[in-house]
């Protein structure tokens, strides 16, 4: 066969393969509803010939899958002592490369997942509000397979291709009564900090409180909080403003996040308001996470949690460490809205965090 003819055949074959591939699933992840964890299929994401490939793990998770190599992709957020975080399955990973493959790492046995190793959680605040629940905290992220210098990104049930990050990842919560699937949620990981919010599926504004379009500006703007490094507490709280909504000179405004192609975010026209909290109860980490003592910690020295006041997570623009693929944010630590820090580090934002957004906008994508 002549080179010209061979080239034509290869081009035709390439076109046929491309024609068979698609970007979007038949049903978006956020439109796949399940009555309970026991009604889940082996894999929620079953579409074939899609550009991002198949689901990395599985959704039927039980005692037979409960180990430190589990690829369970069914997550939970129930309380300060019972929640999971999305993190990589392989050591020394970054969110940018693995957001579609994240697996569940949980604080107690019973979910068929990996367990967060002892000493990883360094401060946690659980907040229950009228329309959502969230857990925010400081973590030695090396212990859940994230590189120590990765400022991370955001996981949510949407994604650019509507398959979610991770692919097939589903979340359940008992925060709003009986255990039920959460349709709208977001989880920012990176910068040795995290925030994970689940919105009441019966609420009229779930999609607004659990917005997924502000992936580059982190926890401080998506999940305003007063989490303190070294403190473990459970509180009631007021609702936050919808992410991206703020008031300036008496006028309600909407912030538009710039495209990554425009470069790093160096300024944001407002500071997020941290909602009022009440009825806070504090605990020792050993009493909350006693079951984690059974997990082997393979790392010697812990990584210092962020200093400053308030947890923020977002990712730097561009590629490489700290870039969160389709979405990302930066994890820093500074305070917002006059929040009291009691001399401890907390998870919010200030001018310092804006620098974090510019150079490490990875944590909350």
């Amino acid at each position: 066969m002549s080179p010209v003819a061979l080239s034509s055949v290869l081009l035709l074959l390439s076109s046929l393969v491309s024609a068979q591939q698609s970007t979007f699933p038949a049903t978006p992840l956020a439109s796949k509803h399940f009555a309970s964890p026991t009604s889940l299929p082996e894999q929620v994401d079953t579409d074939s010939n899609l550009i991002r490939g198949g689901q990395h793990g599985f959704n039927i998770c039980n005692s037979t899958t409960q180990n430190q190599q589990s690829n369970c992709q069914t997550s939970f957020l129930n309380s300060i002592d019972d929640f999971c975080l999305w993190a990589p399955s392989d050591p020394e990973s970054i969110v940018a490369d693995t957001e579609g493959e994240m697996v569940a790492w949980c604080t107690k046995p019973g979910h068929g997942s990996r367990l967060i190793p002892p000493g990883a959680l360094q401060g946690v605040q659980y907040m229950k509000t009228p329309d959502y629940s969230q857990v925010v905290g400081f973590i030695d992220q090396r212990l859940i397979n994230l590189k120590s210098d990765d400022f991370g990104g955001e996981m949510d049930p949407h994604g650019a291709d509507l398959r979610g990050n991770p692919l097939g990842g589903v979340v359940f919560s008992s925060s709003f009564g009986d255990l039920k699937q959460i349709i709208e949620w977001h989880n920012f990981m990176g910068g040795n900090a995290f925030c994970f919010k689940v919105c009441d599926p019966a609420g009229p504004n779930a999609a607004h409180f659990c917005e997924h379009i502000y992936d580059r500006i982190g926890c401080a703007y998506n999940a305003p909080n007063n989490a303190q490094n070294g403190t473990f507490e459970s509180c009631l709280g007021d609702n936050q403003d919808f992410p991206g909504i703020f008031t300036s000179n008496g006028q309600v405004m909407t912030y538009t996040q710039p495209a990554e192609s425009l470069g790093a975010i160096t300024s944001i026209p407002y500071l997020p308001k941290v909602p009022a909290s009440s009825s806070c109860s504090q605990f020792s980490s050993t009493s909350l996470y006693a079951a984690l003592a059974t997990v082997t910690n393979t790392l010697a020295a812990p990584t210092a949690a962020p200093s400053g006041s308030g947890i923020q997570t977002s990712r730097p623009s561009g590629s490489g460490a700290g870039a969160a693929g389709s979405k990302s944010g930066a994890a820093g630590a500074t305070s917002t809205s006059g929040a009291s820090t009691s001399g401890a580090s907390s998870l919010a934002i200030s001018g310092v965090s804006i620098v974090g957004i510019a150079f490490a906008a990875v944590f909350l994508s």
Side-chain angles (χ1 to χ4, degrees):
M1 184 181 291
S2 71
V4 173
L6 178 60
S7 176
S8 298
V9 170
L10 292 176
L11 181 60
L12 176 60
L13 289 174
S14 176
S15 299
L16 290 173
V17 170
S18 298
Q20 292 175 352
Q21 279 198 320
S22 179
T23 298
F24 301 100
T27 303
L29 176 61
S31 297
K32 297 180 178 181
H33 300 166
F34 305 94
S36 69
T38 58
S39 65
L40 289 167
E42 179 65 18
Q43 290 187 317
V44 167
D45 189 312
T46 56
D47 291 86
S48 58
N49 295 319
L50 295 183
I51 290 175
R52 281 210 284 165
Q55 182 174 340
H56 173 69
F58 47 82
N59 297 103
I60 296 179
C61 309
N62 49 44
S63 59
T64 66
T65 64
Q66 180 84 57
N67 58 66
Q68 292 307 99
Q69 288 73 48
S70 176
N71 285 332
C72 173
Q73 292 182 302
T74 300
S75 185
F76 296 82
L77 199 172
N78 296 325
S79 60
I80 188 172
D81 66 337
D82 186 6
F83 65 90
C84 308
L85 299 172
W86 294 117
S89 55
D90 296 320
E92 289 291 289
S93 297
I94 63 173
V95 174
D97 295 339
T98 60
E99 63 180 356
E101 304 169 359
M102 296 291 195
V103 299
W105 293 70
C106 304
T107 60
K108 62 168 49 177
H111 299 310
S113 67
R114 303 182 189 212
L115 294 178
I116 297 172
L121 294 169
Q122 299 173 358
V124 176
Q125 181 190 62
Y126 171 81
M127 182 79 73
K128 173 71 171 67
T129 79
D131 282 280
Y132 61 86
S133 290
Q134 69 181 29
V135 61
V136 185
F138 298 88
I139 190 169
D140 183 348
Q141 65 189 34
R142 300 175 307 158
L143 297 176
I144 55 171
N145 288 346
L146 279 171
K147 291 186 68 173
S148 60
D149 60 353
D150 183 24
F151 283 90
E154 179 198 22
M155 277 58 67
D156 65 51
H158 300 280
D161 58 4
L162 306 182
R163 298 177 70 192
N165 285 306
L167 302 179
V170 292
V171 175
F172 288 83
S173 177
S174 60
S175 294
F176 314 105
D178 294 336
L179 186 67
K180 62 187 70 175
Q181 184 187 358
I182 300 301
I183 309 305
E184 298 292 348
W185 53 268
H186 52 215
N187 179 196
F188 289 87
M189 299 295 301
N192 292 303
F194 64 87
C195 61
F196 183 15
K197 184 198 297 173
V198 294
C199 290
D200 187 350
N205 296 303
H208 295 298
F209 284 118
C210 282
E211 189 59 85
H212 62 279
I213 61 173
Y214 297 106
D215 53 288
R216 301 181 65 202
I217 59 175
C219 286
Y221 284 86
N222 286 276
N225 63 87
N226 278 329
Q228 305 288 322
N229 189 16
T231 298
F232 297 81
E233 65 177 3
S234 179
C235 303
L236 297 178
D238 294 343
N239 285 335
Q240 68 172 88
D241 293 335
F242 296 153
I245 302 298
F246 64 100
T247 301
S248 178
N249 297 322
Q251 184 177 1
V252 177
M253 311 284 287
T254 300
Y255 171 70
T256 299
Q257 178 179 274
E260 287 192 67
S261 60
L262 298 178
I265 298 174
T266 57
S267 65
I268 298 177
Y270 73 104
L271 289 176
K273 294 188 298 183
V274 176
S277 59
S278 62
S279 303
C280 293
S281 299
Q282 294 190 354
F283 307 87
S284 68
S285 61
T286 52
S287 67
L288 290 173
Y289 311 120
L292 300 183
T294 61
V295 181
T296 301
N297 182 340
T298 58
L299 297 178
T303 295
S307 60
S309 204
I311 280 179
Q312 171 215 334
T313 54
S314 51
R315 106 174 184 268
S317 8
S319 57
S326 62
K327 295 186 169 188
S328 60
T334 49
S335 70
T336 64
S337 204
S340 169
T341 62
S342 304
S345 297
S346 66
L347 296 174
I349 191 167
S350 70
V352 175
S353 60
I354 296 299
V355 174
I357 291 172
F359 299 103
V362 267
F363 179 70
L364 294 180
S365 66

